[in-house]
Amino acid sequence: MSHFTILNLPTFSDARGSLTVLEKSLPFPVVRTYWIYGADGQTRGGHRHTSTRQALIALHGNIAIYMNDGISEETITLNSPAQCLLVEPKDWHTMTFGENSVLFVMASHVYDRSEYIDTPYELSSK
C-alpha cells in the first residue's frame, strides 16, 4: 500500500484493445497538460510546488517516480496507462525514465517558475 495516491482509472478491454477513461477522475481541474519523452535513462523533476497539483500517467514504458512529502518517501513505478499518480504541492518528486517511456502530466495551474521549491526535504536520501 502506498502512502501516496495512485488512481486505477476505469479501463475497458476487449479483443479490439483497451480504452481508459479519465473523465471525472481527478480531484482538481486541469489547466495545463504536457508530456515528456526521449528522456531514456534521464532523471527530471527535483522540486515541489507551492500550489500546483499534478497527475502523472506513463503512457508508454516504465518511469520510476521518487516521492517525498517530508514525512514519507517512496519510489513508485508507473508502467500502465490505466494508473495515475497524484502529486500534491508538498510532494518533492523526481522522475527517472526507462527506454522509450512517455510521461503525460496534467497540472492544476499554468507554468510559473516562481512557485517551484527546489530544496528537498532533509530526510530525503536523494
Side-chain angles (χ1 to χ4, degrees), residues 20-121:
T20 299
V21 179
L22 190 62
E23 184 177 59
K24 299 181 183 178
S25 297
L26 299 180
F28 60 86
V30 175
V31 173
R32 179 175 183 240
T33 59
Y34 60 95
W35 44 100
I36 303 169
Y37 56 97
D40 297 11
Q42 298 297 311
T43 298
R44 297 183 54 118
H47 59 267
R48 52 192 161 113
H49 299 109
T50 58
S51 302
T52 298
R53 301 173 80 186
Q54 295 179 315
L56 282 56
I57 299 175
L59 295 179
H60 189 267
N62 294 290
I63 303 158
I65 314 291
Y66 170 75
M67 300 278 286
N68 182 338
D69 66 1
I71 298 168
S72 296
E73 61 183 339
E74 181 179 347
T75 299
I76 297 164
T77 300
L78 292 180
N79 56 15
S80 167
Q83 286 189 320
C84 178
L85 174 64
L86 297 183
V87 179
E88 299 297 339
K90 69 184 180 320
D91 297 336
W92 171 271
H93 59 285
T94 62
M95 299 94 52
T96 302
F97 289 78
E99 187 175 344
N100 296 317
S101 294
V102 179
L103 181 67
F104 182 63
V105 181
M106 293 157 283
S108 64
H109 292 75
V110 297
Y111 174 79
D112 178 357
R113 184 64 180 108
S114 70
E115 74 113 34
Y116 281 50
I117 301 169
D118 295 317
T119 305
Y121 292 107

